[in-house]
Amino acid sequence: MFTVLFTSIGRRVELVQAFKDSYLRHSIFTRILAAESNPKLAPAGHFVDAVFQIPKVNETGYLNALLQICRKERVKLLIPLYEPEFTILDRNRNQFTKQGTTLLLSPTETLKICADKLETYRFFIDHGINTPKTWPVTKLLGDKSPLFVKPRSGMGSAGVYKVTSQRELDFLANRNPDLIVQEYIAGTEYTLDTLSDLNGRALSIVPRERIEVRSGEVVKSRTVDRPDLIQQGKYIIETLGIIGPATLQCIDDGLMVYWIEINPRFGGGVPLSIRAGADYPYLLHKMCNNEPLQPILGEYQKNLTMLRYDQSVYF
């Protein structure tokens, strides 16, 4: 029995289905579980084999509840999906290891760099990776326009604004001084879905064009044949020390590629990459069972398009 536990599964129905389909295809006897603070109102909780209610990450008892589930259900692989959980899980990863659960999460320093967009910018600069100029919101706009203003930390597109004047910038800075300003780059946006082994070696990288995004999550996307993005992405995740999944975001303005963000988790559009042949669930099964793994960089179906739509759950 191979038991996988997702935290904060929310709306990730496609991700659950992708894992189930993979293990069924490989004849692997599996249970897919979820831990949620409000399981009835999490759509994906209705598609897993079992869903468990736990406290919110900032509430007493969160960690103990998660450890108890892993111990009682003999969870082999724990996959967190909600970034505010990463710090407490990282601090206590040895407790999961002691009871036989692999926590799929990058190391401490890597998480710190990814969580702070200003630190991400410094990482890019220090390692010669092309990226838009970025600075704290307290600095003057000057003659640069337009610009992006965004939180130093956060998920999705919450709190991201395009500004064209010092007045707009001052207004946002007064509301939240912990913002960053980023040079505006016009071009085609790409996301790279990546998976690394437990030693930080890149196993798979699938670049896809972000055709349409709604509330920070891609709703239309297409896999592309971009060996250059794969090679640059490999350098980034291996230099940073990513373990497990990550999404990298970049913009191609037709002349240069600008890297803008790294999220050390499964992105919302990763079902497209899995469907295109990057079988992340199967690779994770082999990884947890210490089976030999070989990178499959570039091995995926190109020009596969995903069009998402809403569907309801009734109970």
Side-chain angles (χ1 to χ4, degrees), residues 138-156:
T138 50
K139 290 190 177 182
L140 293 176
L141 177 67
D143 58 355
K144 303 178 183 68
S145 180
L147 296 168
F148 272 125
V149 176
K150 58 181 70 174
R152 286 185 64 168
S153 61
M155 297 175 62

Side-chain angles (χ1 to χ4, degrees), residues 193-195 204-206 266 270 273-274 278-284:
D193 293 316
T194 76
L195 186 71
S204 176
I205 300 174
V206 180
F266 278 123
V270 73
S273 295
I274 297 174
D279 197 345
Y280 294 167
Y282 184 53
L283 290 174
L284 289 172

Side-chain angles (χ1 to χ4, degrees), residues 180-213:
I180 61 166
V181 183
Q182 196 167 74
E183 176 187 11
Y184 174 76
I185 305 294
T188 303
E189 295 187 30
Y190 296 95
T191 291
L192 278 64
D193 293 316
T194 76
L195 186 71
S196 303
D197 66 17
L198 299 178
N199 295 314
R201 177 184 58 158
L203 296 175
S204 176
I205 300 174
V206 180
R208 51 183 174 81
E209 181 183 350
R210 291 161 61 91
I211 300 172
E212 184 178 326
V213 178

Side-chain angles (χ1 to χ4, degrees), residues 25-222:
R25 189 166 59 251
H26 292 285
S27 300
I28 298 171
F29 190 33
T30 313
R31 294 177 73 217
I32 306 295
L33 312 178
E36 269 286 347
S37 60
N38 195 340
K40 285 188 177 181
L41 297 184
H46 297 265
F47 291 83
V48 294
D49 295 309
V51 59
F52 301 89
Q53 185 167 13
I54 62 172
K56 293 181 180 179
V57 65
N58 58 351
E59 294 177 344
T60 302
Y62 164 83
L63 180 65
N64 287 338
L66 205 53
L67 284 165
Q68 185 177 359
I69 294 168
C70 290
R71 182 170 55 253
K72 184 178 179 181
E73 302 298 328
R74 298 183 180 180
V75 172
K76 187 72 172 178
L77 177 63
L78 173 60
I79 306 178
L81 299 174
Y82 184 49
E83 289 175 13
E85 296 175 308
F86 291 177
T87 300
I88 186 172
L89 293 175
D90 175 49
R91 285 201 306 260
N92 295 278
R93 65 171 73 229
N94 287 340
Q95 294 193 53
F96 292 98
T97 302
K98 287 178 182 177
Q99 57 188 39
T101 299
T102 297
L103 173 62
L104 196 65
L105 189 65
S106 290
T108 305
E109 198 57 37
T110 302
L111 295 176
K112 288 180 180 178
I113 292 172
C114 295
D116 186 331
K117 292 181 176 62
L118 201 55
E119 289 300 317
T120 304
Y121 169 72
R122 290 168 181 153
F123 166 80
F124 286 147
I125 293 298
D126 290 345
H127 293 87
I129 300 163
N130 193 47
T131 185
K133 294 178 182 177
T134 304
W135 57 91
V137 74
T138 50
K139 290 190 177 182
L140 293 176
L141 177 67
D143 58 355
K144 303 178 183 68
S145 180
L147 296 168
F148 272 125
V149 176
K150 58 181 70 174
R152 286 185 64 168
S153 61
M155 297 175 62
S157 59
V160 179
Y161 302 94
K162 184 178 178 181
V163 300
T164 57
S165 68
Q166 185 66 49
R167 182 178 179 181
E168 290 177 305
L169 188 62
D170 291 341
F171 174 77
L172 293 172
N174 288 332
R175 293 179 60 188
N176 183 4
D178 196 29
L179 295 170
I180 61 166
V181 183
Q182 196 167 74
E183 176 187 11
Y184 174 76
I185 305 294
T188 303
E189 295 187 30
Y190 296 95
T191 291
L192 278 64
D193 293 316
T194 76
L195 186 71
S196 303
D197 66 17
L198 299 178
N199 295 314
R201 177 184 58 158
L203 296 175
S204 176
I205 300 174
V206 180
R208 51 183 174 81
E209 181 183 350
R210 291 161 61 91
I211 300 172
E212 184 178 326
V213 178
R214 185 183 304 157
S215 300
E217 186 164 324
V218 67
V219 293
K220 297 177 184 178
S221 191
R222 179 186 302 114

